[in-house]
Amino acid sequence: MIMNREEKLLFYSPYSFLRSISKDKQLAVVDAIFEKQIGTEKILIQVEGYDFIFYLRKLEWDTRFFNKNTFKLLTIISDNNDLAKVSEAIRQLLITIPKDSYVFTEVPSEDILFLQGLGNNCFKLLETRLTYYNDNIKNYEYKRFKVREAVKNDIEILQYTASVMKNEYDRIHADYTFDEVLANNYLAKYVENSIKGFADIVIVPDEEGVPIEAFLTSNFLTEDWDKVGVKISKMVLSAVNTSCRGWYVKLISEMTFIMKEKGVQCIFMNTQSTNKAVIKTWETLGFKYGSATHILSLNT
Ligand SMILES: CC(C)(COP(=O)(O)OP(=O)(O)OC[C@H]1O[C@@H](n2cnc3c(N)ncnc32)[C@H](O)[C@@H]1OP(=O)(O)O)[C@@H](O)C(=O)NCCC(=O)NCCS
């Protein structure tokens, strides 16, 4: 169980923006992320008699896809808040990771100490990620549009859409470690897996004369509803080709209606701080700023 750094660790909860969720429940979510997921190693490093525990997860799927050992560094736990010692602990941790591995991490803006320790060890910034949310779904209203669920036959055209409408600021495209072909292939695989069941639902336009060149994926996250006491769901990935210009707002709105009908109380989603079209759309539909994180990476 996580004992220390509670105030900072709270921000590692994907629901930290929702202040109606108690501190204990937020920490239980964080605890489940750090302690319970398979493949996570707890690594103890000692610096001048102080303990620093790192949570490091090897990502097997990514390791195979990129043909490179890929790790997600989840966080650091310690009683000691001295930047020099934190930086030294990170340096020693990196020595334990096989050479030529890829390590990335997502750190809440509030965890400034860990961010600075990572910076001191040459981690580079890839993405500043914002969370937006709407916790008043029961009163959501907007114009209606025709959409349908995506089927396997849509995979190819949606992969094409995702590759044409690449988001140059997502963490994979923004990382100069990966060439563009590899980054596009990663996204194409993500789209395919989403339609094959990785996402709970994927929707596309279903209006006369509108090509199927736009999509939006979502996860209902029902497994967390009782744990946090809120029916909370997430919209995940989308792209809209220029042939469907203006469909983003329609997909977001229709997905909101789908979730409202399912009894969802709060919806959240992530984008890059650079994605002004997305932020403008969400604000138009009543979504609000929730939180921010930074994604950094390092090749060991
Ligand atoms: C982002 C994306 C989905 C938007 O598709 P779209 O529905 O065609 O969006 P639009 O071009 O109509 O833009 C949406 C709104 O943002 C506005 N907008 C666009 N660029 C903007 C900018 N740089 N600054 C401010 N507003 C902007 C548009 O004017 C429009 O507002 P309006 O309806 O009031 O005119 C599409 O460009 C895309 O697929 N991008 C690449 C992938 C991506 O970023 N996905 C989202 C990841 S979270």
Side-chain angles (χ1 to χ4, degrees), residues 67-95:
N67 197 22
K68 190 186 254 291
N69 283 321
T70 302
F71 295 90
K72 183 166 186 188
L73 178 55
L74 300 178
T75 198
I76 179 176
I77 313 277
S78 177
D79 275 339
N80 192 287
N81 287 334
D82 178 63
L83 177 61
K85 291 188 189 64
V86 169
S87 303
E88 173 58 18
I90 297 171
R91 191 188 70 77
Q92 290 188 33
L93 169 81
L94 293 172
I95 295 169

Side-chain angles (χ1 to χ4, degrees), residues 7-242:
E7 290 309 318
K8 296 294 177 197
L9 290 172
L10 276 172
F11 296 109
Y12 283 80
S13 163
Y15 314 127
S16 68
F17 57 87
L18 207 54
R19 294 168 73 200
S20 60
I21 301 177
S22 70
K23 194 172 151 181
D24 285 352
K25 285 180 176 161
Q26 298 278 16
L27 283 175
V29 171
V30 175
D31 190 53
I33 294 171
F34 290 166
E35 298 277 359
K36 313 253 160 65
Q37 286 188 19
I38 331 154
T40 308
E41 237 190 302
K42 261 202 276 193
I43 301 172
L44 171 68
I45 303 283
Q46 288 187 312
V47 177
E48 296 174 32
Y50 292 98
D51 288 349
F52 294 86
I53 298 164
F54 292 93
Y55 287 71
L56 186 72
R57 182 175 306 149
K58 181 154 184 211
L59 304 182
E60 298 296 347
W61 188 90
D62 296 64
T63 294
R64 281 195 301 279
F65 184 87
F66 292 114
N67 197 22
K68 190 186 254 291
N69 283 321
T70 302
F71 295 90
K72 183 166 186 188
L73 178 55
L74 300 178
T75 198
I76 179 176
I77 313 277
S78 177
D79 275 339
N80 192 287
N81 287 334
D82 178 63
L83 177 61
K85 291 188 189 64
V86 169
S87 303
E88 173 58 18
I90 297 171
R91 191 188 70 77
Q92 290 188 33
L93 169 81
L94 293 172
I95 295 169
T96 70
I97 296 175
K99 258 221 113 17
D100 201 27
S101 297
Y102 180 74
V103 185
F104 75 98
T105 181
E106 180 174 2
V107 185
S109 298
E110 289 83 356
D111 198 356
I112 199 75
L113 178 69
F114 191 35
L115 284 166
Q116 290 181 14
L118 293 163
N120 280 347
N121 281 281
C122 297
F123 273 79
K124 61 184 189 295
L125 178 66
L126 301 178
E127 186 185 314
T128 295
R129 190 173 280 186
L130 304 182
T131 297
Y132 268 67
Y133 73 104
N134 184 333
D135 58 352
N136 187 22
I137 298 304
K138 73 172 191 305
N139 292 319
Y140 182 80
E141 292 300 339
Y142 200 65
K143 292 169 273 185
R144 300 304 304 256
F145 308 96
K146 274 191 82 186
V147 298
R148 65 164 172 82
E149 277 201 49
V151 292
K152 284 193 182 138
N153 277 348
D154 298 322
I155 289 175
E156 212 174 309
I157 186 79
L158 298 183
Q159 285 179 316
Y160 166 76
T161 300
S163 69
V164 181
M165 296 307 293
K166 79 175 166 70
N167 180 353
E168 61 180 307
Y169 297 109
D170 69 41
R171 81 167 176 90
I172 303 288
H173 283 101
D175 196 330
Y176 296 113
T177 304
F178 306 123
D179 66 39
E180 200 178 316
V181 175
L182 194 61
N184 286 345
N185 289 345
Y186 181 85
L187 200 60
K189 199 73 197 159
Y190 196 99
V191 172
E192 180 185 339
N193 288 348
S194 297
I195 295 171
K196 287 182 172 166
F198 189 61
D200 290 331
I201 181 166
V202 182
I203 58 168
V204 294
D206 190 26
E207 273 183 14
E208 189 77 24
V210 178
I212 314 300
E213 294 187 15
F215 68 92
L216 171 63
T217 81
S218 293
N219 286 106
F220 292 119
L221 305 175
T222 42
E223 63 281 7
D224 277 355
W225 289 7
D226 283 346
K227 214 186 297 172
V228 295
V230 178
K231 290 179 178 165
I232 191 161
S233 298
K234 182 178 186 184
M235 299 194 198
V236 182
L237 182 72
S238 61
V240 173
N241 204 345
T242 46

Side-chain angles (χ1 to χ4, degrees), residues 161-162 165-168 236-242 244-250 270-272 274-278 280-282 284:
T161 300
M165 296 307 293
K166 79 175 166 70
N167 180 353
E168 61 180 307
V236 182
L237 182 72
S238 61
V240 173
N241 204 345
T242 46
C244 295
R245 169 141 291 144
W247 259 86
Y248 184 64
V249 69
K250 301 179 186 180
N270 305 131
T271 195
Q272 300 73 35
T274 45
N275 213 329
K276 298 195 175 77
V278 163
K280 167 150 198 231
T281 302
W282 291 350
T284 302

